[in-house]
Amino acid sequence: ILNVEQSPQSLHVQEGDSTNFTCSFPSSNFYALHWYRWETAKSPEALFVMTLNGDEKKKGRISATLNTKEGYSYLYIKGSQPEDSATYLCARYTAGGTSYGKLTFGQGTILTVHP
Amino acid sequence: GAGVSQSPSNKVTEKGKDVELRCDPISGHTALYWYRQRLGQGLEFLIYFQGNSAPDKSGLPSDRFSAERTGESVSTLTIQRTQQEDSAVYLCASSLVERREAFFGQGTRLTVV
């Protein structure tokens, strides 16, 4: 993996369904992995910042896990609601040289929750 | 305190004109990022400033694009001789370093006609 990759690109679920999506990233020189939610007509907002292998974070019905050795993170939404509809972005935080602190984003997963 | 502020929120310009977009980061944030999102695409990295270090310009798509930042304050993104493919939402974000989350502005929607 050379870049930050997210899958699937889009997802349609029914209200009440649980869902998950994946972020894959280069595992070398890992520093941190961010998840953001981007709702239409708003700016992206941070959900989680994850730094340690095995990290699990939770905020309400949303949780995330991190595997830095194999270079992936999962975002889970339990009991999806229409208000969860948004684009979910992950970003790899790079350390080293002139790129210290650079955030590189994946293309995002567009989630639509149907009532 | 105030969040990240961008201006203008919308800009319509004629092809070939120059435009300047402004970003006021959160006070004390040493890192500042510019991204853009073209229609139907993801967030595209443009440029990154970190304190007094040389900026990472690796994402600027052509030499028509340039950006400046004065110390740890305001940044301006300038696009010269705009083209229709420059139409996009331009987002600015700032963060404290040390892996902290980025805070985004509301963006500038640029339309080149």
Side-chain angles (χ1 to χ4, degrees):
Chain A
I1 298 280
L2 297 178
N3 297 308
V4 180
E5 298 176 358
Q6 292 187 246
S7 63
Q9 283 190 319
S10 64
L11 197 53
H12 291 257
V13 302
Q14 291 297 127
E15 182 175 356
D17 288 350
S18 293
T19 188
N20 66 86
F21 18 94
T22 305
C23 173
S24 302
F25 52 88
S27 56
S28 59
N29 299 318
F30 176 82
Y31 212 65
L33 193 283
H34 296 201
W35 280 100
Y36 292 80
R37 175 166 60 199
W38 192 2
E39 297 178 71
T40 303
K42 296 185 178 180
S43 51
E45 291 185 343
L47 286 172
F48 305 115
V49 175
M50 309 178 79
T51 57
L52 299 175
N53 185 44
D55 250 359
E56 290 189 27
K57 300 261 184 173
K58 187 175 180 181
K59 184 182 291 188
R61 293 178 293 98
I62 304 177
S63 60
T65 61
L66 178 67
N67 183 321
T68 61
K69 294 183 179 179
E70 296 182 37
Y72 64 84
S73 176
Y74 294 135
L75 189 80
Y76 301 91
I77 303 179
K78 184 177 178 181
S80 303
Q81 300 296 309
E83 58 264 31
D84 296 329
S85 297
T87 298
Y88 290 83
L89 298 163
C90 69
R92 178 175 179 255
Y93 187 102
T94 305
T98 58
S99 293
Y100 181 77
K102 177 180 172 180
L103 272 178
T104 304
F105 282 84
Q107 294 293 93
T109 293
I110 303 171
L111 174 67
T112 305
V113 182
H114 299 280
Chain B
V4 178
S5 176
Q6 290 187 246
S7 61
S9 53
N10 279 286
K11 177 73 177 178
V12 180
T13 190
E14 291 181 352
K15 179 179 172 181
K17 300 277 189 179
D18 297 352
V19 295
E20 189 173 278
L21 313 181
R22 177 186 169 106
C23 173
D24 283 272
I26 293 173
S27 177
H29 281 193
T30 56
L32 186 146
Y33 310 84
W34 283 98
Y35 297 90
R36 74 176 178 181
Q37 186 192 35
R38 290 189 283 185
L39 191 64
Q41 299 186 21
L43 267 184
E44 178 185 357
F45 168 76
L46 296 177
I47 189 169
Y48 161 62
F49 296 91
Q50 168 47 39
N52 294 319
S53 301
D56 180 342
K57 304 180 181 180
S58 59
L60 294 179
S62 77
D63 59 8
R64 296 186 295 104
F65 286 72
S66 63
E68 293 184 349
R69 187 181 187 194
T70 307
E72 295 182 356
S73 60
V74 172
S75 175
T76 55
L77 177 70
T78 302
I79 309 172
Q80 296 178 312
R81 305 181 302 282
T82 52
Q83 303 295 312
Q84 287 186 329
E85 63 262 27
D86 300 334
S87 296
V89 175
Y90 288 81
L91 284 168
C92 173
S94 71
S95 74
L96 292 169
V97 201
E98 304 305 322
R99 322 176 200 185
R100 302 288 179 87
E101 69 264 37
F103 292 84
F104 283 81
Q106 293 292 335
T108 293
R109 181 175 297 279
L110 175 66
T111 304
V112 182
V113 297

